[in-house]
């Protein structure tokens, strides 16, 4: 059985970016035990100040929740 000590949230605009973020996090935190990774995809509303004429105000985003813990 495992006890969750921390949840790390990583976000990206596509699946390749989220995969790179996960790999970067794992390689720089080798001493942490990642118990599970939960993925989510959602539609985000973009602030109008970042949009150009004709741009869509919504974007698909990807999130990964890394469950970090220890065996008990």
């Amino acid at each position: 059985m495992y006890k969750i000590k921390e949840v790390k949230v990583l976000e990206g605009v596509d699946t390749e970016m989220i995969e790179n973020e996960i790999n970067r996090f794992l390689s720089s935190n080798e001493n942490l035990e990642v118990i599970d990774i939960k993925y989510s995809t959602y539609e985000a509303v973009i602030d109008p100040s970042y949009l150009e004429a004709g741009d869509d105000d919504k974007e698909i985003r990807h999130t990964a929740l890394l469950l970090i813990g220890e065996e008990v």
Side-chain angles (χ1 to χ4, degrees):
M1 179 185 290
Y2 290 91
K3 176 181 178 182
I4 304 298
K5 294 172 45 176
E6 179 183 355
V7 176
K8 178 72 176 171
V9 178
L10 301 175
E11 291 187 304
V13 294
D14 60 31
T15 54
E16 184 177 330
M17 183 179 187
I18 197 70
E19 182 179 335
N20 290 338
E21 289 295 319
I22 291 169
N23 290 336
R24 186 176 312 136
F25 178 82
L26 293 176
S27 66
S28 64
N29 295 283
E30 293 177 3
N31 60 330
L32 296 178
E33 187 169 351
V34 176
I35 296 166
D36 198 3
I37 301 174
K38 304 292 185 186
Y39 295 96
S40 176
T41 302
Y42 63 96
E43 189 173 68
V45 177
I46 302 170
D47 186 322
S49 64
Y50 294 105
L51 297 174
E52 294 182 14
D55 284 349
D56 190 9
D57 67 341
K58 294 186 175 135
E59 179 177 73
I60 301 296
R61 298 269 176 102
H62 302 271
T63 302
L65 302 174
L66 281 66
L67 305 179
I68 300 165
E70 63 187 3
E71 193 169 356
V72 292

